[in-house]
Amino acid sequence: MSSQVFLDCTLRDGGYYNSWDFEHDLIQDYLVAMKAIGVDVVELGFRMTDQKGFKGACAYTTDSFVRTLEIPEGITFCVMINASEILVNSKYSEKILGTLFPETAEISRVSLVRIACHTHEFMEALHAFKFLNSKGYRVAFNLMQVSECDSKELILLAKEAMKYPFDVLYFADSLGNMNSEKVQNVIELLRTHWKGALGIHAHDNTGLGLSNTVYALNRGISWVDSTVTGMGRGAGNVKTELLAIEMSKLRDSICNMKPIMVLIANSFKPMKEKYGWGTNPFYYLSGINSVHPTYVQEMMADSRYNEEDIIAVIEHLGKEGGKKYSKNILGEARNYYPEKPQGNWSPVKLFEGKKVILIGSGPGVSIHKRAIESFIKDSKPLVMALNAQSVIDNDLIDVRIACHPVRLMTDCEKLTQLSQPLITPASTLPSNVLDFMSSIELLDYGMGIQDTNHVYKETHCILSNPLVISYALAVASSGKAKQLLLAGFDGYSTDDPRRLENDMIFEKHQSVASAVPILAVTPTLYHIESTSIYAL
């Protein structure tokens, strides 16, 4: 093995997209391609303890599975474990580690173990080295989210690491927000004490993964890793096919690219089209806001989040703290409100007996803008606009309505520049959101979320979701409006889950005894009664 070690972790990091379920023949073709481009170490996958839900062989990478593979000569096999899985109540558990590694390295075909750990887990996870070393395994530690560590913390970790003679200390750009200056800073801080091999695992959120890796190689880093086409959690990693070329130049060696390019065309390109990894503006934004990329990955895979939603959540998490991924946090961003709502404003004062037009955010508003504005001027309905939409002349809008705390946080600057009162569940909003909106007249109509039928009360409602259209229907109904006209509710295609979700909203609304009659006046795909704005 040369002084620079080239590691590919496609089957491990790429597994976040396909549940580590790679076909056996694909793995064999992949191993042949790795040999051809000069990869030294192949990380075959994780060794997990988690048994919930289906996961493929590369999630567990058992010794029996590894024995089914044909190993090209000269390639070292590696697996990764998460420190969190071998720590019980923040204490190292040799029993769990022994279960994961029942065989010695002499018997197993795996010879290297990488341990991924957050900085707060590192000190305790270091104890795993003694057990693995006694079984003959080489050991590497991967420090995650180092870009968020201060200098003193990294120096202390490097000092502690020197007490354990493991093989490689990796640092990972987990949030994808490092540049060459930050890479250099981390290297210098770790080198204050750590004298062993250093490695870098670069993410590609901002498109700097390859340049950061090459920069690190030129600054004395000796271990680098990558994945085929960058396949990996979130925006993904350095592309193996590109790093192979750089390593070939550095080593002055021949790099046979044909097998990997055939593999990409036949297998990884179709997978990428299906799962959609790779950098994009959302991942770029998550990187510069220090938001864990899995939030973006999950939202992009969930069609309920449109582009505006994703941006709003990223900006919110950037302010509130989204460095560590949590499904609960993402769920709360969509479903914040408690079951028992509060509220002190009755919509009857504003809506009773009136014809109301609700201005949505669909393209129908822009397309039919002149007709909508003409109708408003002639018929003088009460005009209610969702969030901070600005297509219709602001002077024609009477009141705005919004209810999602993430969207409110994102739109608050726009809302403060608008003149209308805002209908919102103010009593339940976080204090930081209320602080931002202190200059706005808030009409506090409460909202609670339960998995039930919709209930419309005088000063609050209970809904099955936190979407603003549900909230607007409740407000108009509680306010005893005569009719609610919908403009800009174009709808989604039949294969989009948002179509079904919104149709269910309208269905639940129409089942409420006090529901206001609704009528779409611009083109819509929803199952609701419609007419033409030009016929009114």
Side-chain angles (χ1 to χ4, degrees), residues 173-177 203-207 235-236 279-280 283-284 286-287 291 293:
D173 179 18
S174 307
L175 302 180
N177 59 2
H203 283 190
D204 207 31
N205 297 51
T206 58
T279 190
N280 61 40
Y283 284 119
Y284 191 96
S286 72
V291 171

Side-chain angles (χ1 to χ4, degrees), residues 31 227 249 362:
L31 291 174
T227 57
K249 290 193 297 185

